[in-house]
Amino acid sequence: MARNRRNNKWKHIGTAVVITAAVILLYPFLTDIYSHFEQTQLVGQQELVQKPSLQEVQGKDNTATEDDSPKGKVKSAPIDAWGYLNIPSLGVTTAVVEGTTPEMLTIAPGWYTESALPGQGNTAIAGHLNCYGSYFRRLYTLGVGDQIFLTYKDKIYCYTVESVTTISSVSDIIFPCGYNALTLTTCTTEDKEMRTGVRARLVSVQDVEKQQS
């Protein structure tokens, strides 16, 4: 009887270990599914703008502002997509939400609210490396000259990558840099305390309607 109890105990422990291991292995996959589902629920979700050519992209800077988005784990109201990000060389097209709280980043990459709006300085966006969509998984592979497109309101902002660096603090890279820029940040695989930072320079702006016509 005592032996049976011991055997049952070890069976239960073994089952718990197997379940725990399965959850750990499936966690990134499950969070990706969650993030993609949440993006489809975003208010104002639109068909992501296709990559325009540099010759086609022309226009003026946008100076519009956005209302504050809901915060917290339980969303009391639908969340608007703040913008849309397209990185052709990585095959990434994603909505961008307003804010970089853990809750917001489970949905999509988020705009650092302490950074500038597009066309008004250094616009910074954070995204997850290996969960919740993993949109910035291959951010470190971007090269100088690669194009990044950010759609905000009725404008498409075209940027070209100037540098890809490893930084110890996002505050080193998300604040004013002296020109209109886009900065993308994510974790690194080597050190969770470090971040990958991509800095791109704004080269041109185009109306969304002009691109779709």
Side-chain angles (χ1 to χ4, degrees), residues 100 105 108-112 124-128 136 183-186:
T100 56
L105 290 181
W111 169 59
Y112 286 95
I125 296 172
H128 279 297
F136 288 178
T183 298
L184 307 180
T185 69
T186 192

Side-chain angles (χ1 to χ4, degrees), residues 52-62 149 154-159 202-212:
S53 67
L54 285 175
Q55 291 76 19
E56 294 173 332
V57 180
Q58 293 179 345
K60 297 180 180 179
D61 290 348
N62 182 35
F149 300 92
D154 59 348
K155 302 288 185 182
I156 304 172
Y157 297 81
C158 177
Y159 301 83
L202 180 65
V203 293
S204 46
V205 185
Q206 177 185 350
D207 292 334
V208 170
E209 292 81 2
K210 185 180 298 185
Q211 169 61 21
Q212 292 177 338

